[in-house]
Structures are given as structure tokens and as C-alpha cells.
Amino acid sequence: MAGQQASPNPLVTGTAPDTSLNVQLHPLVLLTISDYITRRALRSQQGPVVGAIIGQQNGRNITLEHAFECKLDEQHGNVVLDGEWFQERLEQYRDVHKAPALDLVAMFTLGPVGGPQEVHLPLLRQVHELTSTEGIMLLLFHGELVDHLQGGKLPISLYKTVHEREGEQMQMKFRELSFEVETGEAEMIGVDFVAKGGGNATAVPKQETVQTAESSKKEKGKGKGKAKEKDEETNGEAVSSALSPEDEELIASLTAKANAIKMLNQRINLIRSYLETQPQSYLTDAYSNTPPPDTTNHTLLRSVNSLLSRVPLLAPPSVAHPSDGSSNTTTPSSLERAGDKERQDVHLTSLLASLTRSVSEAQSMGSKFHIVQREKQSKERGGGNFGGGGGFGGGGRPARGLGSFAEEGYFGESGGL
């Protein structure tokens, strides 16, 4: 490994890395550490980088899930933690992450590739005293390896503390641990957001910022009107150069599609170049007696044949153009015929619904007409029985004869009214 010390580190045990522990490192820890180091570099801040990592420990399974930077102090020439601040901040993180319960599992800092140094020992001893916890791990970030790593390796190393007897005293040493990166859905969203926004982030040097501030002060003294116009132009350029989230998402989508098409083209060219190396008679003539070469990959040829058989299902066949110059210039493809069939089914369903509605309305009209006709016939039968005799009743009232008046006493003894 580049940058590794020639002589072995006396603080690191010579045994192989411990694989008995199942350590899972989450990307949020890496993002926090990289953000912390990047901000210090851009601000030209000096001093050590120290932080804490909280997670879970269930038996031999340990997770490193969240990290935060620590406030430092100097005592007797050694850099140590601000004990009161550290305990208060750690308790706040414990209150926030109660389900599942998280606790301090490791500390992170910068270090060489060779492993921990003597300056790291006072820090770990102080953490042991403040938390009354043994076995706090140490994560070292190797800044000199950032520009030299390949193959997806991370510039970090993880160590756990062990005590070994040297003579009559117990010495604290370190043993390297193996780890794996574990991520969840929420972390994937956060990492994706950081990856998309990282392309738009720019670092402005401090000297350039000071010069810009001084030039703006000089311009303000020349005239408010000109300065205001220049500020408006600058703001307009900044607004026009910035992309909205929708535009960034569209660009990312188009870029992904372009990469997919490019890869598909490369795969097709690779298949074509392989088929061109095969004998023509073996590929085109099914009754050819020419034996295939010994290097023929029959599994690959079967896969190519299966792929070609599925192509008509994915894309419509080519459209045939008649050569007689007739008005029918195109022949409907299978996709167009399927679309026409679907449209016909929709129109037929709509027509059946209209026909059913018309039949229902006609049936309702026939029932109403039957009721009206029956009422009309009943009225006609009533008028013929009572109104045809004339007399006093003309309006359907029954006629009364002279005998009924005589019986009721309307005529006197003399026969008059």
C-alpha cells in the first residue's frame, strides 16, 4: 500500500486483522467525516481532527451509524477532549437515538497508513474514563491516499484496542478490524442527493474573496447607480447560470439514458464482431455439413438466437412500401393492428352502453304511456254511464225524475210547486 511505513508500528499487533467481529460501516459516517475535513481545509484551519461515532453493539455485531465532531482542549501538551462538552453532547445523541438505542462505539481522527500513533493514546484513555466503557474502536482517515486509491477502496482503517503484557506492565495496543459498508434506503437517498449536488459545488479561495470584497467597496464609492446596475447584472447572471432541481433531474435522466444507449450499442457491436468471425455457411445454411470451429461458443450462439427471436415481440416489424405508386403507401404493422382492435372494442362497448340506455328509456316511456292510456279509458267509461241522460246533471251529476221530486214533497196537494 502506498505510503506505508517501512518499519512495523510498535503499537499495532503483528497478528492478522480480526475477522471475528462483524463491523458494519454506514455511509453517513463517511459523509460526516469527509464534510468535516473538507470544511477545515477550505477554511485553512489548523489542528487535529477528532470526532465520535455512535452505533449499536449486539454481541459480535457492531454498527457505526452516526458521527459528530468534538470540541478539543490542550492539557500538558496533549490534545484531549473537552470532557464536560463531550458528555453533554453524547447524552443528547443518546436521547435522540433511543429506538434503537445508540451509544458510543468508536472515535475517528486523521492518521498515517502505518496505524495509530502515540498521540492517539491519551485521547482513547480519556474516552475510557469519561464513558467507563472498554473496547472503544479507533477509525483512522488516511488523507494521503485519497488521490491514489483505485477499485472502490476507502482511505480508512479501523482498529480496536487490546492490552498485551510487556514485561511487568500491560500496554495498550491496536488490532486492525475488517469491516463492510452497509446502507439503508434513507441513506441511499441522502448519498444520491450529495452525489447530484457535488457537481455544482465550487470552492472559492480566500484571497479571491477578499479581492472581490475590496473591489466592491471601491465601486460603491464611485456611484450608487452604477453599482446598483452592476449588482443587478451580476445577480441576473448568477440566477441564469444556476439550474433548478427539475433541470438537474432532467439532465441526470437524459445522461442515464444516453449512457444506456451507448452501452447497448457497444454490446451489439461486440455480438456482431463475434458473429463475423464464424463461418458463413455454418450460420446461414441449416443443412451445411461444414463442422463448426473448435472455438465456437454454442452457449453464446443460443443466447444470440434467443435474443433475435424476442426482437419481434419488442419492436414492430418494418413497414413495407409498395413500388406501384398507389395511394396505399403503408402497410399496417402488428402494433397498429392491435391498436385498431383496441379502439374498435372501446367503440363497441360505448355503442352497447348507448343501446342499453335507449332500450331502458323506451321501456320507461312505454310504461308511462300505458298508465296514461288506462286513466284516459277509465274517464271515458265514467262519462258515458252518468252524463248521457241529460236533465239537471249535465256535468256528470245523475239526472233526477219528477217522481223523486214528488216523493220529497216539492209538489203540493194541488199538484203545483
Side-chain angles (χ1 to χ4, degrees):
M1 184 178 291
Q4 190 172 2
Q5 296 179 353
S7 59
N9 190 344
L11 295 179
V12 180
T13 59
T15 58
D18 187 6
T19 58
S20 60
L21 291 177
N22 182 20
V23 182
Q24 296 179 351
L25 178 63
H26 287 250
L28 290 181
V29 176
L30 300 177
L31 292 177
T32 303
I33 297 175
S34 62
D35 177 69
Y36 182 21
I37 298 174
T38 303
R39 284 188 287 107
R40 290 179 61 86
L42 293 178
R43 296 171 182 173
S44 301
Q45 296 178 349
Q46 303 297 327
V49 174
V50 179
I53 303 176
I54 61 175
Q56 301 181 65
Q57 183 171 1
N58 298 322
R60 309 296 291 177
N61 298 324
I62 303 175
T63 62
L64 285 69
E65 302 185 19
H66 299 278
F68 61 92
E69 55 193 82
C70 295
K71 183 179 179 181
L72 302 178
D73 196 1
E74 186 175 353
Q75 294 179 0
H76 307 291
N78 295 326
V79 177
V80 294
L81 298 175
D82 187 339
E84 183 179 355
W85 180 93
F86 179 76
Q87 289 180 335
E88 181 181 357
R89 180 57 59 89
L90 182 60
E91 191 63 29
Q92 291 175 353
Y93 271 89
R94 289 171 178 170
D95 293 338
V96 172
H97 300 281
K98 286 186 177 180
L102 303 183
D103 204 346
L104 181 67
V105 293
M107 302 292 295
F108 72 84
T109 183
L110 297 179
V113 180
Q117 304 297 315
E118 292 287 344
V119 295
H120 298 142
L121 296 178
L123 175 66
L124 291 179
R125 290 193 183 100
Q126 184 189 14
V127 173
H128 292 164
E129 294 175 359
L130 293 175
T131 60
S132 301
T133 304
E134 293 290 339
I136 299 297
M137 296 180 293
L138 179 64
L139 188 147
L140 291 183
F141 184 88
H142 313 302
E144 64 272 18
L145 296 182
V146 173
D147 298 330
H148 303 285
L149 289 178
Q150 296 180 356
K153 296 182 180 179
L154 297 175
I156 61 174
S157 299
L158 189 63
Y159 297 88
K160 74 172 183 177
T161 58
V162 294
H163 291 82
E164 293 184 356
R165 181 178 296 277
E166 292 186 358
E168 297 180 355
Q169 297 181 351
M170 297 295 294
Q171 297 291 335
M172 178 184 292
K173 290 191 175 183
F174 297 90
R175 177 177 294 175
E176 189 174 358
L177 297 175
S178 61
F179 62 91
E180 59 182 6
V181 178
E182 179 70 19
T183 181
E185 295 182 358
E187 290 176 324
M188 293 177 63
I189 296 173
V191 172
D192 183 67
F193 177 78
V194 173
K196 290 182 178 179
N200 299 328
T202 56
V204 180
K206 187 175 181 180
Q207 184 178 1
E208 182 179 351
T209 306
V210 174
Q211 293 177 357
T212 306
E214 292 178 354
S215 61
S216 62
K217 290 181 180 179
K218 293 179 181 180
E219 291 177 356
K220 287 182 180 178
K222 295 180 180 179
K224 294 183 178 180
K226 294 182 179 180
K228 187 175 181 180
E229 292 177 359
K230 188 169 291 186
D231 291 340
E232 291 178 355
E233 292 177 358
T234 305
N235 294 334
E237 292 177 357
V239 172
S240 60
S241 61
L243 295 177
S244 63
E246 292 79 7
D247 295 337
E248 292 180 357
E249 185 177 356
L250 178 60
I251 292 175
S253 176
L254 294 178
T255 304
K257 292 181 180 179
N259 294 334
I261 294 174
K262 186 183 299 184
M263 182 178 294
L264 178 62
N265 188 26
Q266 293 176 355
R267 298 294 176 84
I268 293 176
N269 292 333
L270 180 62
I271 295 175
R272 180 184 299 173
S273 62
Y274 175 76
L275 294 178
E276 289 176 354
T277 60
Q278 303 298 320
Q280 294 293 331
S281 59
Y282 174 67
L283 296 177
T284 57
D285 189 4
Y287 301 98
S288 176
N289 296 324
T290 304
D294 296 336
T295 59
T296 302
N297 191 341
H298 296 279
T299 304
L300 179 60
L301 292 177
R302 284 193 293 269
S303 299
V304 173
N305 188 23
S306 176
L307 177 63
L308 293 177
S309 64
R310 290 197 301 267
V311 169
L313 302 177
L314 302 177
S318 59
V319 179
H321 297 275
S323 58
D324 55 356
S326 60
S327 59
N328 187 14
T329 58
T330 59
T331 302
S333 62
S334 59
L335 185 62
E336 293 177 350
R337 290 194 298 269
D340 293 339
K341 187 174 182 300
E342 292 292 335
R343 285 192 294 270
Q344 292 174 2
D345 292 341
V346 171
H347 291 319
L348 179 60
T349 304
S350 177
L351 181 60
L352 289 176
S354 300
L355 181 61
T356 304
R357 186 170 56 253
S358 300
V359 171
S360 177
E361 292 177 355
Q363 184 179 4
S364 177
M365 182 64 67
S367 300
K368 294 178 181 179
F369 178 77
H370 179 67
I371 294 173
V372 172
Q373 190 69 17
R374 187 174 56 187
E375 291 294 332
K376 184 177 180 182
Q377 292 177 358
S378 63
K379 288 182 179 180
E380 290 179 353
R381 286 196 298 270
N385 293 333
F386 300 103
F392 293 47
R397 217 174 142 185
R400 305 179 70 179
L402 295 177
S404 60
F405 286 101
E407 293 176 355
E408 294 177 1
Y410 285 98
F411 296 99
E413 296 179 355
S414 59
L417 292 174

